Amino acid sequence: MELWLPAEFLVGVALGSLVLNAIFHTMRCSGALDTEKQLSWVLTFVACVVLTLGSVPYVLLTLSQGLDVSKLVLTDAFSLVLLGGFLSYLIWDLVLGLIYYKSAITILTGYVHHVLYIGLALFSVTHG
């Protein structure tokens, strides 16, 4: 059976969903965070750290190519997993935000912003 989305991307979505939810609910239940605003930054922080560290090989490759990004158009398994993880962050930030930190999500910086990036991620994975 042929999948609409690459398997590596779906692995990233699944892993991202598992890790983000585990960390979020652990922090939420620990009582360490007092406000909705603090809780709203948990997923963002985790996604930021993972995606920043995950980008290091691509930054090094860009530097080794003399900053010529035209030589970087790669779609490898690792980049697909990272993109899947990013998509899971976007989705779970909206879902968990609606439940646990509704006051921290605005129309523009939350819903519109996330939906546009979800569309961009899906376009990128399906069109290279």
Side-chain angles (χ1 to χ4, degrees):
M1 177 174 97
E2 189 171 327
L3 299 173
W4 174 61
L5 297 168
E8 297 89 348
F9 178 77
L10 297 174
V11 166
V13 172
L15 282 173
S17 295
L18 180 69
V19 169
L20 290 168
N21 274 282
I23 292 172
F24 176 82
H25 289 291
T26 298
M27 292 298 295
R28 183 181 68 80
C29 293
S30 74
L33 305 173
D34 298 324
T35 67
E36 283 189 3
K37 187 74 169 172
Q38 290 173 327
L39 197 56
S40 74
W41 281 98
V42 171
L43 294 182
T44 301
F45 176 76
V46 173
C48 182
V49 169
V50 170
L51 293 170
T52 298
L53 292 175
S55 74
V56 169
Y58 303 102
V59 170
L60 294 174
L61 185 58
T62 303
L63 292 172
S64 73
Q65 298 295 327
L67 300 178
D68 184 358
V69 293
S70 67
K71 296 179 181 176
L72 272 190
V73 183
L74 301 175
T75 303
D76 60 358
F78 186 62
S79 67
L80 289 171
V81 171
L82 285 176
L83 186 57
F86 180 60
L87 180 76
S88 70
Y89 156 71
L90 294 167
I91 292 168
W92 285 111
D93 195 34
L94 287 177
V95 170
L96 295 173
L98 285 170
I99 299 167
Y100 297 107
Y101 46 91
K102 194 179 280 191
S103 67
I105 299 178
T106 67
I107 295 293
L108 185 59
T109 62
Y111 303 108
V112 172
H113 172 86
H114 281 48
V115 169
L116 289 174
Y117 272 102
I118 288 168
L120 182 61
L122 290 172
F123 179 82
S124 295
V125 78
T126 56
H127 292 85

